[in-house]
């Protein structure tokens, strides 16, 4: 304020006034004393008027000009504009209020920016694909997940009509039905990507404004491949179980009927048929036991009974069960165990793993073969391997042998009494222990299974 009193216009005004006074001095000296007085009064009044005008200019016109400039900047969206050195009095009040308004606007715009950023982050990080379409059918937004599902990049979608850029006919129908019925519409599509089949569920939801008028639609894309796979697995499982149960039951029923029809009278036939019925019912029993074991392992509330055990002792309990079967096929069964190995496992489950692997080794190794069980420790785990010199497993079947009911040679393994659940159970037990199982095999040379139980 003080500085502005000596501002250039003011100084030039004052100089101007003095020049007028000097210039008129000569005239004044020629005039009478009454004129001199009158003239002096006029000059003084003129000076006072000039000073008053300058005061009005400094106090009102200049601040209002500054305020107008600041408001202009605010209107243009520069919310950082402020009025500096505000006056006191009513114009000062106005400037201060404009400054407060500017501060509020800047705060609001900051919050809006933050919210927009948060919204974009949420939209981009949702695990479902999103597409926003306006009422004219133009795409306004696609999120990152959508791009990862359908490829290309946002620029190829945003600003275009949905039917020009979204390729699937089903998606078009979903959009059309959402607009037509103004209700949520659901469909699903399949997509083949790098030989892998993907299942995608599409939900179209209409968007209304506050007057309940349709303003567009949002499409949500869920990847339901995992769910579908589970559903397919469940269906396959039910079909497989039914099939596996049907075979022995049909056989039991057939032989029982034949016996009832009179075959029971001949002792030899009767004994033969009864033996078959007995074998088949054993198979049924085995199958049901395996299914129960699997379902127990799969239960959420399943708990392992982990205790510290001596690994060599556990093996010592199991081997005798197989001695006889090995001798029958003249298979040499040898055991290499590091002494003094102790581990923390569920002893019963551990035994089941070794039993299933040994049973396979004996079943799938021809006469005069060899089976070797070894046990040693690595840094983090106890390692058990069961190696045989048997028929081996073809490479393309290796990834599938842990599937339920999968058998390389259906008829052959059924003859050995197998249900195809043994390795599925082993894999499950290893998973609940946090361990792992691997297999090496060469056709007609032999197979080695390795299991690793974590020490901790
Ligand atoms: N040591 C092995 N040598 C060769 N093939 C094997 C061996 N172990 C498993 N297989 C193959 O893997 C398949 C699946 O084995 P799995 O133990 O799960 O079922 P299974 O032996 O047929 O029946 P079970 O449920 O009675 O064990 C077998 O049918 C067999 O084809
Ligand atoms: Mg088996």
């Amino acid at each position: 304020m003080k500085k502005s009193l000596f501002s250039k216009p003011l100084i030039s005004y004052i100089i101007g006034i003095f020049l007028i006074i000097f210039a008129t001095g000569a005239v004044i000296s020629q005039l009478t004393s009454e004129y001199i007085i009158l003239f002096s009064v006029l000059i003084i009044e003129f000076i006072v008027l000039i000073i008053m005008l300058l005061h009005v200019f400094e106090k009102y016109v200049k601040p209002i000009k500054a305020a107008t400039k600041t408001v202009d900047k605010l209107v243009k969206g520069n919310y950082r504009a402020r009025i500096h050195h505000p006056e006191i009095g009513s114009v000062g009040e106005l400037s201060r209020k404009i400054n407060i308004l500017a501060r509020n606007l800047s705060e609001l715009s900051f919050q809006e920016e933050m919210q927009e950023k948060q919204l974009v982050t949420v939209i981009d990080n949702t695990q479902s694909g999103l597409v926003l379409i306006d009422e004219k059918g133009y795409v306004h937004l696609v999120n990152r997940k959508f791009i990862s599902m359908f490829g290309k990049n946002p620029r190829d979608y945003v600003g275009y009509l949905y039917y020009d850029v979204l390729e699937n006919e089903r998606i078009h129908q979903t959009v059309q039905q959402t607009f037509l019925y103004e209700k949520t519409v659901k469909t699903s599509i399949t997509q083949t990507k790098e030989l892998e089949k993907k299942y995608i569920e599409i939900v179209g939801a209409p968007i209304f404004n506050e007057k309940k008028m349709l303003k567009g639609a949002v499409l949500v894309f869920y990847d339901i491949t995992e769910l579908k796979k589970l559903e397919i697995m469940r269906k396959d499982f039910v079909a497989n179980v039914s099939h596996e149960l049907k075979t022995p039951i049909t056989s039991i029923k057939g032989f029982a009927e034949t016996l009832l029809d009179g075959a029971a009278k001949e002792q030899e036939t009767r004994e033969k048929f009864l033996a078959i019925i007995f074998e088949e019912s054993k198979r049924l029993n085995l199958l049901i036991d395996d299914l129960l074991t699997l379902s127990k392992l799969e239960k959420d509330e399943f708990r392992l009974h982990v205790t510290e055990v001596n690994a060599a002792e556990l093996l010592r309990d199991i081997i005798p069960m197989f001695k006889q079967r090995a001798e029958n096929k003249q298979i040499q069964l040898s055991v290499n165990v590091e002494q003094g190995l102790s581990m923390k496992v569920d002893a019963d489950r551990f035994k089941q793993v070794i039993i299933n692997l040994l049973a396979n080794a004996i079943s799938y190794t021809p006469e005069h073969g060899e089976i070797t069980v070894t046990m040693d420790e690595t840094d983090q785990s106890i390692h058990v391997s069961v190696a045989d010199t048997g028929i081996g497993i073809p490479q393309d079947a290796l990834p599938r042998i842990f599937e339920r009911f999968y058998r390389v040679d259906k008829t052959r393994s059924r003859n050995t009494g197998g249900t195809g659940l043994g390795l599925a159970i082993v894999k499950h037990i290893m998973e609940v222990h946090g361990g792992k199982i691997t297999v090496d095999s060469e056709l007609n040379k032999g197979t080695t299974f390795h299991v690793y139980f974590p020490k901790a």
Side-chain angles (χ1 to χ4, degrees), residues 41-279:
V41 169
L42 272 175
I43 284 181
I44 289 166
E45 274 183 359
F46 180 68
I47 291 171
V48 168
L49 184 71
I50 294 281
I51 289 175
M52 271 171 70
L53 278 175
L54 282 177
H55 179 73
V56 169
F57 180 78
E58 281 292 333
K59 201 164 159 61
Y60 296 100
V61 180
K62 256 180 94 177
I64 287 174
K65 267 194 172 169
T68 314
K69 241 191 208 167
T70 310
V71 172
D72 268 348
K73 283 185 193 164
L74 291 177
V75 168
K76 281 178 190 146
N78 175 7
Y79 300 132
R80 260 176 294 177
R82 298 283 184 278
I83 301 167
H84 301 289
H85 314 297
E87 286 276 342
I88 38 171
S90 51
V91 178
E93 183 79 21
L94 176 72
S95 311
R96 264 192 305 281
K97 293 244 162 96
I98 289 174
N99 277 352
I100 293 173
L101 181 71
R103 219 171 295 133
N104 289 348
L105 280 173
S106 131
E107 181 100 335
L108 272 177
S109 88
F110 175 70
Q111 277 174 7
E112 199 183 317
E113 211 174 287
M114 280 294 289
Q115 273 169 4
E116 199 181 305
K117 267 189 197 150
Q118 283 168 352
L119 193 66
V120 169
T121 314
V122 170
I123 288 175
D124 262 343
N125 289 294
T126 40
Q127 283 313 298
S128 317
L130 289 177
V131 176
L132 192 70
I133 298 169
D134 70 11
E135 76 267 37
K136 294 198 184 88
Y138 285 95
V139 176
H140 276 245
L141 178 150
V142 292
N143 74 344
R144 205 179 292 160
K145 180 73 188 178
F146 175 84
I147 295 297
S148 80
M149 283 169 150
F150 291 89
K152 299 198 204 170
N153 71 57
R155 267 180 284 127
D156 300 320
Y157 295 100
V158 175
Y160 294 96
L161 284 163
Y162 74 88
Y163 45 78
D164 287 338
V165 283
L166 302 174
E167 273 148 24
N168 198 302
E169 192 60 38
R170 277 272 180 81
I171 305 180
H172 300 178
Q173 283 167 5
T174 311
V175 179
Q176 285 153 10
Q177 286 175 2
T178 311
F179 280 131
L180 188 66
Y181 303 125
E182 301 195 357
K183 272 201 307 205
T184 302
V185 178
K186 254 187 206 178
T187 43
S188 60
I189 57 170
T190 53
Q191 198 188 31
T192 313
K193 216 175 175 183
E194 290 150 13
L195 295 177
E196 212 189 320
K197 201 170 182 182
K198 292 232 168 240
Y199 294 85
I200 295 170
E201 184 179 74
I202 311 171
V203 180
I207 305 171
F208 299 101
N209 66 4
E210 58 282 3
K211 286 179 195 148
K212 299 234 162 24
M213 277 162 66
L214 189 70
K215 290 316 279 177
V218 59
L219 295 181
V220 188
F221 297 78
Y222 301 104
D223 186 342
I224 51 164
T225 311
E226 286 306 311
L227 273 176
K228 266 277 182 229
K229 268 190 196 158
L230 279 178
E231 194 185 306
I232 292 169
M233 249 169 74
R234 192 184 53 80
K235 279 185 190 157
D236 282 357
F237 183 64
V238 173
N240 280 330
V241 170
S242 316
H243 180 75
E244 294 296 327
L245 288 173
K246 208 176 155 212
T247 323
I249 286 174
T250 314
S251 152
I252 290 172
K253 190 173 159 248
F255 285 109
E257 260 172 5
T258 323
L259 283 174
L260 286 173
D261 282 350
K265 284 180 199 127
E266 280 170 46
Q267 193 188 348
E268 201 183 327
T269 324
R270 188 173 65 223
E271 272 168 21
K272 200 174 134 202
F273 284 11
L274 281 176
I276 294 172
I277 290 176
F278 181 60
E279 278 307 313

Side-chain angles (χ1 to χ4, degrees), residues 356 359-360 363-364 418-423:
N356 286 9
N360 281 351
S363 296
Y364 304 110
T419 60
L421 290 173
L423 286 178

Side-chain angles (χ1 to χ4, degrees), residues 291-335:
L291 284 172
L292 283 177
T293 309
L294 262 180
S295 97
K296 245 192 247 165
L297 284 168
E298 270 183 344
K299 272 195 185 137
D300 284 343
E301 59 265 33
F302 174 75
R303 292 276 169 279
L304 289 169
H305 299 286
V306 177
T307 49
E308 181 98 35
V309 292
N310 182 313
E313 258 172 40
L314 277 190
L315 266 189
R316 223 174 289 142
D317 290 346
I318 299 167
I319 300 299
M321 294 189 217
F322 294 94
K323 267 262 149 38
Q324 193 55 50
R325 279 172 66 186
E327 268 167 27
N328 290 349
K329 284 178 91 174
Q330 288 161 326
I331 290 172
Q332 192 188 325
L333 177 60
S334 39
V335 182

